[in-house]
Amino acid sequence: MISLIKKIFKFFFSLVMAVVVCCVLVVAVPNLWEVGTSSLHMVSEEEAGDAAQTDGTTYDAILVLGAAVYADGTPSTILQDRLDVAIRLYQAGVAPKIIMSGDNRDANYNECYNMKSYAIAAGVPSEDVFCDHRGVCTYDSMYRAKNVFGVESLMVVTQSYHLYRALFDANGLGIDAWGVGSDIHEYADQDYYDKREVLARINDFKKVLCKETSEYLSEPVSLDQSGDVTYW
C-alpha cells in the first residue's frame, strides 16, 4: 500500500513538474526570442540620423505606434515622447514619410488625427504624414504597414519595452524593420506596461508564427501620394 502511494505521489509530482516546465517555456521562449532578435535591430536616434546623413541609409517610412490621447487632443507623455523622436528622425532625413498608427475605433477617440496634428504643428509637412486609423494593436499596425501601405522598410518608434515586440512583428511579416527607443521620461505605469508586455509577446509570437491576417483590412494606400488622403 505504501509503495502504491509512493508511485502515485511520484506520478503526480512528475505531472506537476511537467506542467510547470511547459508554462515556463511558454513564457520564456517568446520573450527571450523577441528581445534577443529585436535588440539586434535597435539603434539610437543619433546612429539613425548619422547613417542617413553619411551613408544614405533611409527607410520607406517612420512608423509611430499610438498611445493615449487626452480629451483635448493633447498626447500623453508616453506618446509625445514617441512623436518628438519620430519628428527629429524625419528632420534628420531618416525617411521621407511618417505613418501614425493608432486606434480610431470610437468616433469620439482618434489617436492618429491628433498625432498628425502634433507633427504638423512641429513643422512636418502635412502631405508627408499618413494616418493608419486601424492600428488597433501592434501586430495590426505592422501587418497594415506591409499590406496596406506597402512598405518594405521601416524605422519604428516607441519605448524600448514595446519596441522588441514591434520589431519582431514587423520583421516576422517580411519588413526590413529597425527601431529607435523613445525612452525620454519615466512613466508612472511602467511596471504595469512591463508585465503586460510579457503576455503580449506570447500572443504576438503565435500571430507571427501563424502569419495571421489583421482583423482590419482596407484598400492599398500609396506613400507616393499626399498623406492628407488619410487624415480622417
Side-chain angles (χ1 to χ4, degrees), residues 21-59:
V21 170
C22 287
C23 290
V24 170
L25 290 175
V26 165
V27 174
V29 170
N31 277 273
L32 291 175
W33 185 270
E34 291 177 39
V35 171
T37 57
S38 295
S39 62
L40 302 175
H41 284 251
M42 294 169 65
V43 296
S44 69
E45 183 181 333
E46 292 73 20
E47 288 171 331
D50 288 346
Q53 296 295 324
T54 60
D55 303 330
T57 302
T58 59
Y59 303 83

Side-chain angles (χ1 to χ4, degrees), residues 129-168:
V129 186
F130 288 75
C131 293
D132 180 8
H133 297 279
R134 290 295 179 266
V136 298
C137 70
T138 304
Y139 182 83
D140 282 0
S141 292
M142 299 309 166
Y143 186 94
R144 288 174 56 81
K146 174 72 173 180
N147 294 282
V148 174
F149 292 89
V151 303
E152 297 296 332
S153 61
L154 271 183
M155 177 60 74
V156 182
V157 178
T158 185
Q159 279 72 24
S160 295
Y161 78 91
H162 185 204
L163 191 55
Y164 298 116
R165 177 164 58 98
L167 291 176
F168 173 78

Side-chain angles (χ1 to χ4, degrees), residues 178-214:
W178 293 75
V180 170
S182 55
D183 306 281
I184 299 175
H185 295 94
E186 294 184 358
Y187 310 106
D189 297 324
Q190 189 61 58
D191 286 344
Y192 167 74
Y193 297 146
D194 291 339
K195 291 173 183 176
R196 184 183 64 179
E197 196 64 18
V198 169
L199 298 177
R201 289 179 192 140
I202 298 171
N203 187 45
D204 280 24
F205 193 78
K206 173 185 69 70
K207 288 182 177 181
V208 170
L209 287 182
C210 297
K211 294 294 188 290
E212 291 188 12
T213 302
S214 171

